[in-house]
Amino acid sequence: MVYQVVVTRGFAEPDGTTIFGDIGLSRLTDAGLAWRVLDEEVEELRPDQLDEADAVLVLGHERVTAESIPDNGRLRHVARFGAGFDAVDTDACARHGVLVTNTGTAVRRPVADSVIALLYALSHHLVVKDRLVREGRWAERGAWRGSGLTGATVGIVGLGGIGLETARRVRAQGLRVLAYNRSDRSREAAEVGTELRTLEEVLAESDYVVVTVAANAGTRHLIGDRELSLMRPTARLINVSRGMVVDEGALTARLSDGRLAGAGLDVFTEEPLKADSPLTALDNVTLAPHSLCWTDQYTAAVSASVMASLLAVSRGEQPDETVNGPFPSGTWRDNERDST
């Protein structure tokens, strides 16, 4: 039986071209695996779409729930193209012996670079100044003097892989870095020259707060109105995590009335962000469509990672970046099939 990989339709065309560019599907073909792109774009994958699949490559934000998994026991692998796996019910997958992988290591540098881009864009009012030139409003440039970064403090909320890489990049700019993490990361923090503090201290002492935590039930509205009230009126918030981590309504209110100086957002509670969202009317907000880290290097790194995982699982091997594994003997590795 040929090992079959199903690719979700949201970000891909039937011929395998994707919104990211070439993601290396030819590597699967070269290894003797078959792949196909789903005919239909859906928000939640259905079992009939996966009943002949050994693996599913989730390119976008399609949900994989307990109801998505076919009863025939064939599906063994859900591979996420990217770091976030909040749309995948990892516990349900584990119960069915389905391994879930992501590409957390591959996205660290691209996402950290996007934080740096937002940091400088906010400090220099780059979006507004671009608009002043395009609209012939040079006379207004004096009203948009930037905030120098010398001596600034950047607080990172979530010191996982992306948070650590962000700390390295920010430290390289000569800035002071504070960090909060729910579990102890003191050794990792010391390695990147970062001071671990409570969430309240990070919010109160930082000129820029960068949110990089994973999205889950425990981090929903981790940054709510109370937390935002602890930030200085001159401070700015950067969110490259998920929209649900920040209370968007509370953030919008504080940005609108000047209780917070600005924000750089690549993620939103509802995506795509509606064109009439109050956020789009604010000059102190820099917005990106959940793609700021999408570069040629991002595609190359993430593609290499996800293809390596797909090929490893097809051979019955344990891949490098598992979310809900490794599984013990007697589950997916003992149900190997001939993949040629």
Side-chain angles (χ1 to χ4, degrees):
M1 183 184 298
V2 176
Y3 194 93
Q4 178 75 235
V5 178
V6 165
V7 182
T8 57
R9 183 72 170 86
F11 288 170
E13 297 298 328
D15 64 358
T17 58
T18 80
I19 194 171
F20 305 105
D22 182 5
I23 63 170
L25 290 168
S26 60
R27 289 189 59 190
L28 303 180
T29 305
D30 293 344
L33 280 61
W35 61 267
R36 64 181 177 87
V37 178
L38 290 175
D39 296 330
E40 183 182 358
E41 180 178 351
V42 294
E43 292 185 359
E44 179 179 336
L45 293 174
R46 303 189 309 268
D48 63 282
Q49 295 176 305
L50 305 178
D51 59 5
E52 296 182 358
D54 297 284
V56 54
L57 171 53
V58 181
L59 288 182
H61 304 292
E62 296 90 348
R63 296 195 306 277
V64 180
T65 67
E67 289 71 28
S68 303
I69 302 172
D71 294 330
N72 61 15
R74 178 169 176 173
L75 184 68
R76 69 164 77 172
H77 184 197
V78 174
R80 262 289 289 135
F81 190 94
F85 52 89
D86 46 299
V88 180
D89 187 334
T90 56
D91 291 336
C93 287
R95 290 195 301 271
H96 287 82
V98 178
L99 196 67
V100 180
T101 61
N102 69 346
T103 61
T105 301
V107 305
R108 291 174 184 173
R109 178 64 180 270
V111 175
D113 284 345
S114 70
V115 170
I116 299 301
L118 288 171
L119 182 67
Y120 279 97
L122 289 171
S123 68
H124 290 275
H125 300 297
L126 183 60
V127 173
V128 173
K129 289 178 178 178
D130 174 87
R131 191 157 59 243
L132 294 183
V133 175
R134 294 177 187 275
E135 298 175 0
R137 296 160 52 198
W138 284 60
E140 299 177 34
R141 58 185 173 171
W144 295 99
R145 185 175 54 175
S147 302
L149 290 173
T150 301
T153 296
V154 175
I156 298 175
V157 179
L159 204 60
I162 291 174
L164 284 168
E165 185 61 34
T166 299
R168 290 189 187 95
R169 302 286 286 150
V170 172
R171 286 282 294 148
Q173 312 301 310
L175 306 182
R176 178 189 181 212
V177 180
L178 306 177
Y180 162 77
N181 201 70
R182 290 186 297 169
S183 60
D184 181 33
R185 301 281 280 178
S186 53
R187 178 179 61 82
E188 293 85 351
E191 289 175 355
V192 296
T194 297
E195 305 171 46
L196 275 183
R197 299 291 187 84
T198 66
L199 177 59
E200 289 75 14
E201 288 171 335
V202 168
L203 295 170
E205 297 181 32
S206 299
D207 300 293
Y208 296 85
V209 173
V210 181
V211 183
T212 64
V213 296
N216 53 52
T219 58
R220 178 176 175 77
H221 285 186
L222 176 67
I223 307 299
D225 189 63
R226 184 189 76 85
E227 289 73 26
L228 292 169
S229 71
L230 299 175
M231 294 177 64
R232 303 169 181 172
T234 55
R236 296 168 173 87
L237 179 80
I238 294 173
N239 188 9
V240 293
S241 171
R242 286 290 189 267
M244 57 89 81
V245 176
V246 176
D247 184 335
E248 198 168 282
L251 175 63
T252 302
R254 289 186 173 273
L255 290 166
S256 299
D257 62 19
R259 287 178 290 165
L260 197 63
L265 307 174
D266 190 40
V267 290
F268 307 93
T269 301
E270 181 182 349
E271 296 181 2
L273 182 70
K274 293 180 179 178
D276 62 354
S277 165
L279 288 170
T280 64
L282 297 176
D283 285 330
N284 56 349
V285 182
T286 298
L287 307 173
H290 202 156
S291 63
L292 193 57
C293 70
W294 291 6
T295 63
D296 52 350
Q297 294 177 350
Y298 168 89
T299 297
V302 174
S303 298
S305 176
V306 78
M307 293 303 157
S309 292
L310 286 165
L311 291 172
V313 176
S314 76
R315 297 189 295 261
E317 300 169 0
Q318 187 71 41
D320 290 334
E321 299 198 66
T322 58
V323 172
N324 66 342
F327 291 159
S329 177
T331 54
W332 65 275
R333 284 188 290 184
D334 291 339
N335 295 323
E336 232 178 294
R337 298 179 187 79
D338 181 7
S339 62
T340 61

